[in-house]
Amino acid sequence: MSFKVISRSFKTLSYVGSYKKIRNRPYRLYCAAVLGAGYIAHNQLKQNKADMKEVMQLKNYMAVPITPLEQLEKNPNDMKTQMELLIMRIQAEFCRALEKEEDQAWEDEKTLDDYDFDNDVYLTFPDAKFKVDRWLRKEGGGGITCVLQDGRVFEKAGVNISVVSGTLPPAAVQQMRSRGKNLQNAELPFFAAGVSAVIHPRNPMVPTIHFNYRYFEVTDKDGVQWWFGGGTDLTPYYLDEEDALHFHLTLKHACDAHDQTLYARFKKWCDDYFYIPHRGERRGIGGIFFDDIDTPDQQSAFNFVTSCAEAVIPSYIPLVQKHKDDGYGYFERQWQLLRRGRYVEFNLIYDRGTKFGLHTPEARYESILMSLPLNAKWEYMHEPKPDSAEEKLIKVLRNPKDWLHIESAARSSA
């Protein structure tokens, strides 16, 4: 507790009637009252800071929010506002973290020719930065698409947010009904806000990461229905078990802060969702995935999504730093391109988010297809060599692994 907080608390006590009652009481009681008021004031200050956490980030966003600032300021407790400001912050923080890795890559490759010793001025040279594209849609809302291409570390990196509203067409309503949503009308007013990112690194030893966190509202004759969805998953080209442990453990910590049963449930959901039936394998080594989350209450669900989104950087950036300078050759590059082909197959054939985006009126196809890599490859009847590093990965993709031994621990305790 700071001296300023205690001082403010003392001044507050001097203006309330209750202070007169304790003024002549024992010194200990008086101190307890001061400290108690200070503690309350301190907690209130922390709560106010927490409430303003997203609003205070405005100057650091990649672009101006989609919703007018006046509207955001008037409705700070509305979940639509909270979600929009969260995804704006997550987008900016992740983009800055990726750009930092690109900046470091250029810094590491500087030579004496990069300096002008006569004028003591550092000469700039081309580097990879995010192209920021803020777009609006006539029906309502818009988005901010951030794409980095042809970097030293990242061949392509896309980090998008969308904040859209309007009327759901019948195809989208039917898709939601197929997931068990009890929606009464044929066409429904909706609001959706989410952040989505896919990172395709240049070095095959660095895994690809995908994450998406979203909030949805639909209004029908029974009122407003809302839910959250999302997840984070890892797609390596070469399996490093230490990386897998780090990634999954980071996500588990984020889940455990809210409910220790969530990680195991959402890990299985992720393994089941990112499955390519015609290949008989998963897209990657999983992570967490969930959809239609509307319990225990709206704020608790939002807090959980916030923790998961904030876990992306610590789960992934250490893996980039560990492997971005690893050696590789032509053979490893070709394997990377083949695995990217599998990534494309899943996204275009099975991914629900892609389908929903394409069904949405005035869909922005460039942003929807941002997840596709710059380069991919398909070979006829390709199979990795027995006992190779490539086959080691395929075995895990065909039989998902319990990286943190959650299931085995549960069986042994039963």
Side-chain angles (χ1 to χ4, degrees):
M1 186 188 311
S2 68
F3 175 76
K4 290 183 178 179
V5 172
I6 297 176
S7 176
R8 284 198 303 270
S9 302
F10 178 78
K11 292 178 181 178
T12 301
L13 281 170
S14 67
Y15 288 100
V16 298
S18 60
Y19 170 61
K20 296 179 180 179
K21 297 179 181 179
I22 68 170
R23 182 171 50 192
N24 298 321
R25 293 187 181 182
Y27 176 74
R28 290 182 180 178
L29 182 59
Y30 173 71
C31 290
V34 173
L35 293 175
Y39 177 75
I40 294 172
H42 179 58
N43 278 351
Q44 186 61 48
L45 180 63
K46 288 202 304 182
Q47 182 61 45
N48 291 342
K49 286 183 176 179
D51 293 341
M52 294 296 292
K53 180 179 181 181
E54 310 300 350
V55 177
M56 296 295 288
Q57 302 293 323
L58 286 174
K59 66 177 187 292
N60 297 323
Y61 294 153
M62 302 301 287
V64 177
I66 301 302
T67 303
L69 295 181
E70 311 79 53
Q71 185 176 334
L72 295 174
E73 292 171 350
K74 288 180 181 178
N75 303 285
N77 297 321
D78 189 305
M79 185 51 65
K80 295 190 288 292
T81 297
Q82 292 186 57
M83 191 64 187
E84 181 170 357
L85 295 181
L86 170 66
I87 62 178
M88 293 286 295
R89 175 170 64 87
I90 294 300
Q91 179 190 48
E93 290 176 352
F94 195 51
C95 286
R96 303 303 182 210
L98 299 178
E99 286 185 340
K100 183 177 179 181
E101 295 306 314
E102 286 290 344
D103 292 343
Q104 186 61 52
W106 282 105
E107 183 73 16
D108 292 343
E109 295 192 20
K110 285 191 306 184
T111 67
L112 295 179
D113 294 334
D114 296 321
Y115 293 91
D116 183 344
F117 290 97
D118 294 334
N119 299 316
D120 195 26
V121 174
Y122 175 67
L123 298 180
T124 60
F125 43 75
D127 57 354
K129 296 293 182 183
F130 276 96
K131 177 182 179 180
V132 180
D133 180 17
R134 184 180 185 274
W135 50 273
L136 299 175
R137 57 195 293 271
K138 294 179 181 178
E139 189 172 12
I144 302 170
T145 299
C146 297
V147 176
L148 181 155
Q149 293 185 161
D150 290 320
R152 294 286 180 97
V153 181
F154 305 109
E155 191 169 326
K156 184 180 180 184
V159 189
N160 293 356
I161 70 153
S162 60
V163 181
V164 298
S165 58
T167 302
L168 284 177
V173 175
Q174 182 58 40
Q175 183 185 1
M176 291 181 179
R177 284 178 178 153
S178 68
R179 302 204 319 266
K181 291 296 179 184
N182 184 21
L183 302 174
Q184 301 299 322
N185 303 31
E187 293 189 357
L188 302 169
F190 81 98
F191 170 88
V195 56
S196 180
V198 178
I199 311 304
H200 294 293
R202 185 169 297 281
N203 192 316
M205 304 305 164
V206 180
T208 278
I209 191 175
H210 158 261
F211 73 88
N212 170 271
Y213 292 99
R214 55 194 179 273
Y215 172 72
F216 212 95
E217 281 187 5
V218 174
T219 304
D220 64 7
K221 67 179 184 179
D222 295 328
V224 175
Q225 296 189 46
W226 59 265
W227 60 88
F228 291 90
T232 306
D233 62 281
L234 197 69
T235 302
Y237 307 100
Y238 286 91
L239 184 63
D240 184 315
E241 296 202 359
E242 288 185 359
D243 293 353
L245 288 172
H246 167 84
F247 182 77
H248 280 270
L249 190 59
T250 305
L251 298 184
K252 184 177 186 299
H253 286 327
C255 293
D256 286 354
H258 301 269
D259 184 336
Q260 294 190 358
T261 68
L262 294 179
Y263 167 77
R265 181 154 60 101
F266 294 159
K267 191 267 185 188
K268 183 179 185 308
W269 200 337
C270 185
D271 289 335
D272 293 341
Y273 178 77
F274 291 104
Y275 179 63
I276 310 174
H278 64 273
R279 297 289 185 182
E281 61 192 39
R282 275 71 188 171
R283 189 177 74 177
I285 62 169
I288 58 173
F289 178 83
F290 53 89
D291 210 348
D292 303 332
I293 299 299
D294 56 8
T295 58
D297 57 74
Q298 193 177 60
Q299 193 62 47
S300 296
F302 172 75
N303 292 341
F304 167 66
V305 167
T306 299
S307 294
C308 293
E310 291 177 342
V312 170
I313 290 177
S315 73
Y316 182 61
I317 294 300
L319 308 185
V320 175
Q321 295 170 340
K322 177 181 176 182
H323 294 293
K324 64 182 180 181
D325 295 323
D326 288 358
Y328 68 93
Y330 176 83
F331 181 83
E332 289 79 14
R333 171 64 171 172
Q334 298 311 301
W335 174 248
Q336 180 192 48
L337 295 178
L338 281 170
R339 295 311 310 169
R340 285 182 178 172
R342 302 290 196 269
Y343 207 95
V344 171
E345 290 175 20
F346 177 85
N347 282 24
L348 293 184
I349 299 174
Y350 301 109
D351 186 65
R352 270 209 316 264
T354 301
K355 291 181 180 179
F356 176 82
L358 296 175
H359 286 153
T360 302
E362 300 178 36
R364 196 166 192 276
Y365 304 114
E366 287 290 339
S367 297
I368 296 170
L369 300 177
M370 170 275 302
S371 63
L372 303 183
L374 277 183
N375 300 286
K377 180 178 178 180
W378 287 263
E379 285 186 10
Y380 184 71
M381 300 292 288
H382 180 274
E383 286 290 335
K385 294 180 179 178
D387 300 321
S388 64
E390 293 77 21
E391 187 188 53
K392 179 182 177 182
L393 174 68
I394 291 296
K395 287 181 177 179
V396 172
L397 300 182
R398 290 174 178 168
N399 298 285
K401 189 171 180 178
D402 179 14
W403 296 102
L404 304 181
H405 307 292
I406 303 295
E407 296 175 6
S408 57
R411 286 194 298 267
S412 62
S413 62

